Amino acid sequence: MAMIETPYLLFLGDAPDALAAKVAQGIKDWRPEYAVGQFRMEGCKADLGLTDMTLAEAKAAGCKTLVVGVANRGGVISPAWKKVLVAALEEGFDLASGLHNLLRDEPDLAAVAAATGRKLHDVRVPEVEYPIANGKKRAGKRMLAVGTDCSVGKMYTALCMEKEMRARGMKASFRATGQTGILITGDGVPLDAVIADFMAGSIEYLTPDNDPDHWDLIEGQGSLYHVSYSGVTLALVHGGQPDALVICHEPTRPHMRGLPDYEMPTMEQVRDTALLLARVANPDCVVVGCSVNTQHMPEDEARAYLAEVEARMGLPATDPFRFGAGKLVDALAAV
Amino acid sequence: MAMIETPYLLFLGDAPDALAAKVAQGIKDWRPEYAVGQFRMEGCKADLGLTDMTLAEAKAAGCKTLVVGVANRGGVISPAWKKVLVAALEEGFDLASGLHNLLRDEPDLAAVAAATGRKLHDVRVPEVEYPIANGKKRAGKRMLAVGTDCSVGKMYTALCMEKEMRARGMKASFRATGQTGILITGDGVPLDAVIADFMAGSIEYLTPDNDPDHWDLIEGQGSLYHVSYSGVTLALVHGGQPDALVICHEPTRPHMRGLPDYEMPTMEQVRDTALLLARVANPDCVVVGCSVNTQHMPEDEARAYLAEVEARMGLPATDPFRFGAGKLVDALAAV
């Protein structure tokens, strides 16, 4: 993925509600320094609390890229959006989007981008020819978030840890492997769209040699126990060569996401299986803690659950978004 | 992969030696009924022992597709080959190839194919939009060959078992997941070229519902212990939902293929890890036997090694290509 130029003007379009703008919200939450302003069309129901800017104002404020921070309706880029996107290209912005409907597949956007020399970043599609993984040991340290299931909070776990580590003056880089993470940080690998043979290599590419005390915090994908995507997960485990694993879980889920016939594994199963496989690439890998997404539990229940997990697994456990990532970072610092 | 029409005329080109024509040899060995004739150019040093045919003779003999059964020199399709390939299209043949240099990327071949209504099958590239795996239990039985490493004989193991099972009147289908296997059988999934999200789904597509007593014999790829390709292997384990695993090994290899820093795992490690993961998709999965590639051992040494493996692992062990697949098929029949 070629680096997306920052800072951003966040395009909220005609978002019907705040949830539709969650990509923009993620950028504002995790990279506030990139979120210079917002662009809202008539009828937009989302508001990030940023300054509303015209394209000219955003340009004057130094914005380089207009990021489509909103999910579109019906999977198409509407004529109303088009008008803004074309004008943004003419104004000198690059465009970035994680939509299924690719910017590059719109003939008018492609033509104007070519004529103006601007870039269209479709972060669902790899922009790099990744190598085949060579498995060579790299300098620096790496943490990988591995989950009992898809969508249990692996991205938030890594982002929360990065924030805490930076606040402590530690060297840490969140490494995005999905669309939202790529838009948040401006860089990363859209792993689910990479060709099978190059998956592990793309993660080696994403997490190259670094300072000995630098931590890459790698966003996980899928789960070793999710039969639709487990191969993607194993490519992360072997391409990432993690020194440390954090086990991520969402305790209220009735079954594997999208697979009603599949029970959730226990955190113990994920710990043992992930560690067994991770040690193929890095014999020194350890599990440092558990990250539990407690958003569907009241606070007392959440705290009781975390205490139970700590006692059962002998590992620090927290909901890093709700209660802070301190425990996980303490454990990482001790590796 | 759209079905390649059979039978074939096997194009050996100007093969510098027999090894260069090993794809054609594989077709002749495993699907002799598809191998109606061979086409050799001047200077060809390979000979399958088939009738040499002109294009017109092959057409008259019922051949539907000219298969490029030879590795090309320097990675390009030479002008000398082109002349034959264009004439074959004009004569009414489809073309099929596993070369890196895609047929479709040659403007003359593409133009003639379009004009004549013939198909160009580049089996390195998926021709199907595969679904995302749904993990649903399918009727019929499935065997997957899993290896300690890449290129240890997984394709030959599955093909040998298919031949033995068909000789016994059992229902069995080799399911190709690589280029050579696809050309041999005319169908399959080029798994290493599938997009990450669709890997497991492509294997579900390849091995659909079948008769309760029918066995799919799925060609393995990579190894759970090969860090470059392990994700591909896990997609086979979870997409294939195997009822039975056969562990494949090559005992003289000094380290993992292409990874000098990585030791080979033991067959016990592969057995335990593959079974642990396979049971996520199919709790009834069992390991039925070991297939050892003994080509680099004299016969007495090979037999002693196999006896030692049987004693150590408590599983039937054979080199199916050298000593027959009977033991493995006996074990499969008992599942």
Side-chain angles (χ1 to χ4, degrees), chain B residues 143-147 153-155 157-158 161 217-222 233 236-237 242 244-248 291:
Chain B
M143 184 286 297
L144 174 66
V146 290
K154 294 183 290 288
M155 184 182 81
T157 298
M161 290 177 72
L217 305 168
I218 308 172
E219 180 188 1
Q221 295 293 334
T233 310
L236 277 160
V237 171
L245 300 172
V246 170
I247 311 298
C248 301
S291 174

Side-chain angles (χ1 to χ4, degrees), chain A:
Chain A
M1 180 64 44
M3 182 79 73
I4 301 169
E5 277 204 88
T6 59
Y8 300 152
L9 174 63
L10 299 176
F11 176 73
L12 308 188
D14 46 4
D17 53 34
L19 193 63
K22 71 177 182 177
V23 167
Q25 184 70 48
I27 295 170
K28 191 212 159 196
D29 288 347
W30 298 106
R31 290 290 186 271
E33 68 275 24
Y34 294 173
V36 168
Q38 64 186 15
F39 188 105
R40 299 191 296 160
M41 291 165 49
E42 197 174 310
C44 181
K45 300 289 196 302
D47 183 357
L48 303 178
L50 297 171
T51 308
D52 286 295
M53 292 181 174
T54 64
L55 294 172
E57 286 165 352
K59 192 73 190 167
C63 293
K64 304 288 190 198
T65 302
L66 179 142
V67 174
V68 179
V70 54
N72 55 348
R73 305 186 206 193
V76 295
I77 297 175
S78 69
W81 283 23
K82 274 285 184 64
K83 201 172 157 187
V84 180
L85 300 181
V86 167
L89 289 168
E90 296 284 1
E91 189 75 38
F93 292 97
D94 292 341
L95 303 183
S97 158
L99 300 177
H100 275 288
N101 182 173
L102 302 185
L103 300 171
R104 70 183 67 172
D105 288 345
E106 297 296 305
D108 44 357
L109 295 181
V112 176
T116 56
R118 306 318 314 169
K119 291 195 183 123
L120 302 179
H121 295 284
D122 286 302
V123 301
R124 284 193 179 267
V125 183
E127 292 187 356
V128 171
E129 286 206 18
Y130 301 112
I132 286 178
N134 63 30
K136 291 204 178 114
K137 180 78 183 158
R138 307 192 289 288
K141 291 179 185 296
R142 285 158 199 87
M143 183 286 299
L144 174 66
V146 290
T148 51
D149 195 3
C150 301
S151 308
V152 292
K154 294 183 290 288
M155 182 183 83
Y156 271 73
T157 298
L159 284 165
C160 289
M161 291 177 72
E162 183 200 50
K163 191 172 181 180
E164 172 71 15
M165 291 172 81
R166 290 185 172 183
R168 294 187 188 188
M170 296 171 72
K171 296 180 190 167
S173 304
F174 171 77
R175 298 298 188 186
T177 62
Q179 284 79 24
T180 304
I182 294 171
L183 287 174
I184 288 174
T185 59
D187 205 357
V189 168
L191 184 58
D192 62 8
V194 172
I195 298 281
D197 251 4
F198 305 97
M199 293 187 299
S202 75
I203 303 305
E204 292 188 348
Y205 173 94
L206 180 67
T207 60
D209 278 316
N210 214 316
D211 296 342
D213 57 343
H214 176 275
W215 279 94
D216 278 327
L217 305 168
I218 308 173
E219 180 188 0
Q221 295 293 335
S223 166
L224 293 169
Y225 283 82
H226 195 296
V227 295
S228 309
Y229 308 116
S230 54
V232 180
T233 310
L234 187 51
L236 277 159
V237 170
H238 283 164
Q241 293 181 356
D243 302 276
L245 300 172
V246 171
I247 312 297
C248 301
H249 185 52
E250 202 281 81
T252 68
R253 196 164 290 185
H255 56 71
M256 295 297 280
R257 186 174 168 90
L259 303 176
D261 301 335
Y262 286 78
E263 278 181 29
M264 297 279 286
T266 63
M267 298 178 79
E268 286 89 339
Q269 285 177 294
V270 172
R271 174 194 64 197
D272 295 346
T273 304
L275 198 57
L276 172 75
L277 292 164
R279 286 182 171 166
V280 172
N282 184 349
D284 298 326
C285 184
V286 291
V287 176
V288 294
C290 302
S291 174
V292 182
N293 177 347
T294 64
Q295 65 175 317
H296 299 302
M297 302 168 118
E299 183 170 336
D300 55 345
E301 193 183 322
R303 289 194 186 277
Y305 185 85
L306 291 169
E308 188 263 317
V309 168
E310 290 201 338
R312 199 176 80 212
M313 301 194 56
L315 288 167
T318 184
D319 180 333
F321 193 68
R322 191 174 191 175
F323 303 125
K327 284 184 179 185
L328 299 175
V329 171
D330 292 345
L332 211 58
V335 169

Side-chain angles (χ1 to χ4, degrees), chain B residues 171-240:
Chain B
K171 296 179 191 168
S173 304
F174 171 76
R175 299 297 188 185
T177 61
Q179 284 78 26
T180 304
I182 293 171
L183 287 174
I184 288 174
T185 60
D187 204 358
V189 168
L191 185 56
D192 62 8
V194 172
I195 299 281
D197 251 3
F198 304 98
M199 293 187 300
S202 75
I203 303 306
E204 292 189 348
Y205 174 94
L206 180 67
T207 60
D209 278 315
N210 214 316
D211 295 343
D213 57 343
H214 176 276
W215 280 93
D216 278 326
L217 305 168
I218 308 172
E219 180 188 1
Q221 295 293 334
S223 166
L224 293 169
Y225 283 81
H226 194 296
V227 296
S228 308
Y229 308 115
S230 54
V232 181
T233 310
L234 187 50
L236 277 160
V237 171
H238 282 164

Side-chain angles (χ1 to χ4, degrees), chain B residues 225 264-274:
Chain B
Y225 283 81
M264 297 279 287
T266 64
M267 299 179 78
E268 286 88 338
Q269 284 176 294
V270 173
R271 173 194 66 196
D272 294 346
T273 302

Side-chain angles (χ1 to χ4, degrees), chain B residues 279-297:
Chain B
R279 286 183 171 166
V280 172
N282 184 350
D284 298 326
C285 184
V286 291
V287 176
V288 294
C290 301
S291 174
V292 182
N293 177 347
T294 65
Q295 66 175 318
H296 299 301
M297 301 168 118

